[in-house]
Amino acid sequence: MTTMTGTRTSPAATGRGPRLTGLNWLVWRQHRATYWTLIGGTVLAAGWMVYQHMGMMDTLHALGWPHPKSADWERNVGSGALTWTGYGLGFLPILIGVFVGAPLIAGDLENGTAKLVTSQSVSRIRWVAAKVGVTVLVVLAGTVVLSQAFGWWWSPVKDRTSVIPWTEGAVFDNTGPVLTALTLFTLVGGVAIGMVLRRTLLSMVVTFGFAVAVQIVWSHFRLQLGSPVSLVTHTGVMTSPPNVPNSAFQVDSWFTTASGKLYGWGTCVESTEKAQQACLGQKGIVGWRVDYLPISQMSSMQWFGASVLLAVTVAVVAFIFVWGRKRVV
């Protein structure tokens, strides 16, 4: 029997050009169906998004973009496909964690492949590193392509919140580095869960709960990654709050006094205008304060959030190697 380390190359490794050899080839061979599914799905999805982008640009140019003649041109663009694609991509971290991460090592531990491999001249750490490393590279490449394609599709209407707001997960989580960071985190989280539980089906169920929890927590803290900008007026409050820029996301609004004290916008809701004016004067309210997040902060918010996710991902990877060295078989 040829050892798994293999200085000898496989038949697939012959010929010109770079080829996988040794343990990396073995990992690719073992999981080739999964890897080719990820690659094929990425190519098809990216191609479809490119096609949709071209269709959007045709519609925009017909409307006179970038200076449309109609004031309600956004309604003619149609955001259904864009929105649903964004929601679909939002499930990608969950799917990758459950169907790729959880069974990656749990399957080998359950069926005994891990003992077979590590009984050869392959160390446990090399085996874990190859399994995780090759999978991470495939997922990394795929999510980068998808996030770039989706961001390119959305970019012509990014400053129009009426089409699809940039603060929604359908956009924020699927452009820039966030999709990659979220997916890698759930991937290695699934690997770690599988290593600990050592049962494929149980690991997939637990990983599903873990991935859903990650999405819920992330959606709760997403907008807290930015620093709201305040818009303050001192011209009274009998009119509506001041308008924020078209592409901005309004966080909240208050009544404000000359000293800067804030009251909720429902303060002084009286039955008559005279009573309301008396209430406002008694409290010293002189204007509005509106807090909003400008779209210019989107990139910095994404990179900040992604850096946190990647840092936690590195910590999970470190746990995988520590656990793999001592207790993987």
Side-chain angles (χ1 to χ4, degrees):
M1 179 183 296
T2 304
T3 61
M4 299 297 180
T5 55
T7 55
R8 174 184 174 185
T9 59
S10 68
T14 60
R16 297 180 179 179
R19 304 289 185 187
L20 292 175
T21 60
L23 191 56
N24 290 330
W25 175 84
L26 178 65
V27 170
W28 180 275
R29 182 76 177 172
Q30 181 185 8
H31 299 287
R32 62 189 182 279
T34 298
Y35 295 152
W36 281 117
T37 299
L38 293 175
I39 294 172
T42 297
V43 172
L44 291 175
W48 186 78
M49 284 187 273
V50 169
Y51 173 77
Q52 291 293 326
H53 171 84
M54 295 171 63
M56 175 186 285
M57 293 307 300
D58 289 341
T59 302
L60 288 173
H61 287 142
L63 295 171
W65 189 85
H67 303 291
K69 300 176 182 179
S70 173
D72 60 346
W73 63 271
E74 296 97 333
R75 292 190 301 177
N76 297 319
V77 174
S79 61
L82 185 66
T83 302
W84 284 111
T85 301
Y87 289 149
L89 288 176
F91 286 101
L92 187 60
I94 298 176
L95 295 175
I96 294 294
V98 172
F99 293 102
V100 180
L104 188 66
I105 293 179
D108 288 351
L109 293 172
E110 187 173 24
N111 60 32
T113 304
K115 289 185 178 180
L116 174 63
V117 174
T118 55
S119 67
Q120 308 295 314
S121 55
V122 176
S123 69
R124 287 176 291 187
I125 292 301
R126 279 194 60 199
W127 173 66
V128 171
K131 297 272 283 188
V132 175
V134 174
T135 306
V136 164
L137 286 177
V138 174
V139 172
L140 174 66
T143 52
V144 168
V145 169
L146 291 176
S147 64
Q148 291 298 314
F150 185 79
W152 185 54
W153 178 11
W154 169 72
S155 60
V157 294
K158 65 181 181 180
D159 60 342
R160 295 290 175 174
T161 56
S162 58
V163 177
I164 179 170
W166 64 270
T167 51
E168 287 195 6
V171 170
F172 191 92
D173 296 351
N174 297 318
T175 57
V178 177
L179 179 62
T180 298
L182 276 172
T183 306
L184 291 180
F185 181 43
T186 56
L187 170 67
V188 301
V191 173
I193 291 170
M195 290 181 68
V196 173
L197 299 181
R198 306 171 71 91
R199 295 292 182 270
T200 302
L201 183 58
L202 177 60
S203 299
M204 293 174 71
V205 173
V206 175
T207 299
F208 175 79
F210 163 75
V212 170
V214 168
Q215 292 282 10
I216 293 174
V217 173
W218 172 256
S219 64
H220 178 73
F221 287 102
R222 183 190 301 120
L223 297 182
Q224 299 184 27
L225 298 171
S227 300
V229 176
S230 297
L231 181 61
V232 182
T233 67
H234 297 87
T235 56
V237 298
M238 300 307 293
T239 58
S240 300
N243 293 325
V244 300
N246 288 332
S247 58
F249 172 78
Q250 182 172 317
V251 178
D252 209 341
S253 62
W254 298 271
F255 292 151
T256 182
T257 66
S259 63
K261 185 177 180 180
L262 301 178
Y263 290 92
W265 57 268
T267 303
C268 294
V269 178
E270 306 292 345
S271 57
T272 64
E273 181 177 340
K274 183 177 180 180
Q276 184 179 19
Q277 288 282 15
C279 175
L280 294 172
Q282 181 181 8
K283 296 182 180 299
I285 295 173
V286 296
W288 290 93
R289 170 177 159 176
V290 177
D291 288 353
Y292 66 93
L293 291 171
I295 195 173
S296 59
Q297 292 191 20
M298 179 180 180
S299 180
S300 61
M301 290 170 62
Q302 288 177 316
W303 279 104
F304 177 54
S307 64
V308 174
L309 289 170
L310 291 174
V312 180
T313 299
V314 171
V316 176
V317 171
F319 167 80
I320 289 173
F321 283 106
V322 171
W323 189 276
R325 172 174 292 183
K326 298 180 179 180
R327 306 182 63 177
V328 73
V329 293

